[in-house]
């Protein structure tokens, strides 16, 4: 089915939070704007500090820097349009704009799932096989793992988005969400989508559930190794290196799995919006705080960067 022959919808309308009062929408705008700015500043700060400071050149911080780039991209795809729907009621999005937003949402989402699994593997090697860690997690290996994580977003984004927007849209154009996610968009299709839904479930298993199981397996081995350590101080240090990542993974995957693995009839559109807010808006803001800014190495590096920039007399 070709776009020109079947598609009669030239734009979509994002329902977003239009059912709320204008006063409440204004409050949400201020809240999400603050979260958006904190997210951008926090992740940019992590990128700058881990790049500039020589003490933060280990694989863990290399992957963290990549995660910050992904979080910035994820936010830029979703949040600006959502803010527009709240403050100026700019709820329309073009057919191409909706497809573009969905493409990059899939791309950054799949890449982040794979990168979080890569970060878990890094912690697994560091704690369970520390003597071989420099060899296994060499600079070349880290670059290859990061590149593979980024590249994983292309096939799922290309297949999913191209398939969805090759369907005919010949009726309603109101997307009951604050961005162009696949379930509310596919609900507007006036054709049989059962084969696509089977493919989407397969992609969800491959890019959400499978990385999550790899992370789970890594942490089972990590915790088993930590509990066998004879020193209490060694246990504390080992656990501190992976506790932040485990918390970020829990926040991201719990809401993503609840969103994409629950039957449609079991979750209302409003509840899905709340779940989506967690992994698209809130988690990217918390990552710099949970994962890095509470890390003593990052704090020390930040002080060193500020000292070099402003001079010791300004501190």
């Amino acid at each position: 089915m070709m776009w020109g022959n079947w598609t009669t919808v030239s734009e979509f309308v994002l329902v977003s939070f239009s059912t709320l009062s204008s006063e409440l929408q204004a409050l949400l705008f201020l809240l999400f704007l603050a979260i958006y700015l904190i997210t951008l500043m926090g992740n940019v700060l992590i990128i700058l500090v881990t790049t500039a400071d020589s003490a933060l050149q280990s694989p863990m911080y290399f992957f963290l820097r990549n995660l910050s780039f992904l979080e910035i991209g994820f936010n830029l795809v979703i949040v600006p349009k959502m803010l527009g729907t709240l403050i100026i009621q700019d709820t329309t999005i073009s057919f191409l704009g909706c497809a573009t937003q969905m493409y990059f949402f899939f791309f950054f989402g799949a890449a982040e799932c794979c990168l979080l699994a890569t970060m878990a593997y890094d912690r697994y090697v560091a704690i369970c096989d520390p003597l071989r860690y420099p060899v296994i997690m060499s600079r070349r290996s880290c670059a290859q793992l990061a590149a593979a994580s980024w590249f994983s977003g292309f096939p799922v984004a290309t297949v999913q988005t191209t398939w969805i927007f090759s369907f005919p849209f010949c009726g309603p154009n109101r997307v009951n969400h604050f961005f162009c996610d696949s379930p509310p968009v596919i609900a507007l299709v006036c054709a049989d989508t059962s084969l696509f839904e089977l493919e989407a479930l397969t992609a969800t298993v491959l890019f959400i559930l499978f990385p999550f199981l790899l992370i789970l397996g890594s942490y089972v081995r990590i915790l088993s190794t930590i509990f066998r350590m004879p020193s209490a101080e060694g246990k504390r240090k080992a656990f501190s290196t992976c506790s932040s990542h485990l918390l970020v993974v829990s926040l991201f995957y719990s809401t993503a799995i609840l969103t994409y693995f629950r039957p449609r009839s079991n979750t209302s559109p409003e509840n899905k919006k709340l779940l989506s807010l967690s992994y698209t808006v809130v988690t990217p803001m918390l990552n710099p705080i949970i994962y890095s800014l509470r890390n003593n190495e990052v704090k020390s590096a930040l002080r060193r960067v500020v000292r070099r920039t402003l001079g010791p007399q300004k501190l």
Side-chain angles (χ1 to χ4, degrees), residues 48-159:
L48 293 177
V49 171
T50 56
T51 302
D53 194 271
S54 58
L56 301 182
Q57 301 307 309
S58 67
M60 182 175 75
Y61 295 109
F62 169 74
F63 292 127
L64 178 59
R65 189 157 56 245
N66 279 268
L67 180 63
S68 291
F69 275 115
L70 281 174
E71 297 290 25
I72 290 172
F74 211 61
N75 248 239
L76 290 175
V77 168
I78 303 295
V79 181
K81 181 61 181 178
M82 181 180 66
L83 292 175
T85 65
L86 288 170
I87 194 63
I88 59 174
Q89 304 300 310
D90 179 21
T91 57
T92 59
I93 184 169
S94 68
F95 192 87
L96 180 60
C98 187
T100 302
Q101 187 184 54
M102 184 181 293
Y103 180 91
F104 283 104
F105 169 74
F106 282 139
F107 169 74
F108 287 118
E112 182 163 343
C113 288
C114 293
L115 185 63
L116 288 173
T118 300
M119 295 169 79
Y121 175 70
D122 171 66
R123 293 299 84 208
Y124 162 74
V125 177
I127 294 173
C128 299
D129 198 0
L131 295 180
R132 298 179 58 212
Y133 180 72
V135 177
I136 296 175
M137 301 304 294
S138 64
R139 186 182 294 270
R140 180 179 180 182
S141 298
C142 290
Q144 290 173 340
L145 288 169
S149 297
W150 279 89
F151 180 77
S152 67
F154 284 108
V156 65
T158 302
V159 172

Side-chain angles (χ1 to χ4, degrees), residues 21-267:
S21 66
S22 57
E23 293 80 6
L24 190 52
Q25 288 189 58
L27 289 175
L28 287 177
F29 169 79
L30 294 175
L31 174 62
F32 293 148
L33 178 61
I35 292 175
Y36 178 60
L37 295 176
I38 292 170
T39 299
L40 293 182
M41 290 187 293
N43 283 289
V44 167
L45 187 62
I46 293 304
I47 293 170
L48 293 177
V49 171
T50 56
T51 302
D53 194 271
S54 58
L56 301 182
Q57 301 307 309
S58 67
M60 182 175 75
Y61 295 109
F62 169 74
F63 292 127
L64 178 59
R65 189 157 56 245
N66 279 268
L67 180 63
S68 291
F69 275 115
L70 281 174
E71 297 290 25
I72 290 172
F74 211 61
N75 248 239
L76 290 175
V77 168
I78 303 295
V79 181
K81 181 61 181 178
M82 181 180 66
L83 292 175
T85 65
L86 288 170
I87 194 63
I88 59 174
Q89 304 300 310
D90 179 21
T91 57
T92 59
I93 184 169
S94 68
F95 192 87
L96 180 60
C98 187
T100 302
Q101 187 184 54
M102 184 181 293
Y103 180 91
F104 283 104
F105 169 74
F106 282 139
F107 169 74
F108 287 118
E112 182 163 343
C113 288
C114 293
L115 185 63
L116 288 173
T118 300
M119 295 169 79
Y121 175 70
D122 171 66
R123 293 299 84 208
Y124 162 74
V125 177
I127 294 173
C128 299
D129 198 0
L131 295 180
R132 298 179 58 212
Y133 180 72
V135 177
I136 296 175
M137 301 304 294
S138 64
R139 186 182 294 270
R140 180 179 180 182
S141 298
C142 290
Q144 290 173 340
L145 288 169
S149 297
W150 279 89
F151 180 77
S152 67
F154 284 108
V156 65
T158 302
V159 172
Q160 295 271 84
T161 307
T162 303
W163 198 340
I164 288 175
F165 286 91
S166 67
F167 282 122
F169 293 89
C170 47
N173 68 338
R174 290 173 62 82
V175 178
N176 196 0
H177 213 316
F178 56 84
F179 71 101
C180 286
D181 196 5
S182 59
V185 172
I186 206 71
L188 304 178
V189 170
C190 49
D192 181 16
T193 61
S194 55
L195 185 60
F196 168 79
E197 290 176 13
L198 179 61
E199 183 277 334
L201 179 61
T202 303
T204 302
V205 170
L206 287 176
F207 289 95
I208 295 182
L209 190 59
F210 184 64
F212 176 72
L213 292 176
L214 289 178
I215 294 169
L216 192 62
S218 297
Y219 274 105
V220 169
R221 296 292 302 275
I222 288 171
L223 293 175
S224 176
T225 301
I226 290 175
F227 289 141
R228 291 200 305 268
M229 290 179 177
S231 166
E233 180 64 18
K235 290 180 179 179
R236 187 192 65 79
K237 287 183 177 179
F239 188 74
S240 67
T241 63
C242 59
S243 59
S244 296
H245 177 253
L246 188 57
L247 181 55
V248 167
V249 165
S250 300
L251 288 171
F252 180 83
Y253 274 101
S254 60
T255 52
I257 288 174
L258 283 173
T259 300
Y260 294 105
F261 278 96
R262 294 181 68 179
R264 294 182 189 177
S265 58
N266 289 357
T267 308

Side-chain angles (χ1 to χ4, degrees), residues 294-307:
R294 63 192 293 266
N295 182 303
N296 289 329
E297 289 183 342
V298 175
K299 289 179 182 177
S300 299
L302 181 58
R303 284 194 290 268
R304 288 192 293 270
V305 170
V306 174
R307 187 179 294 113

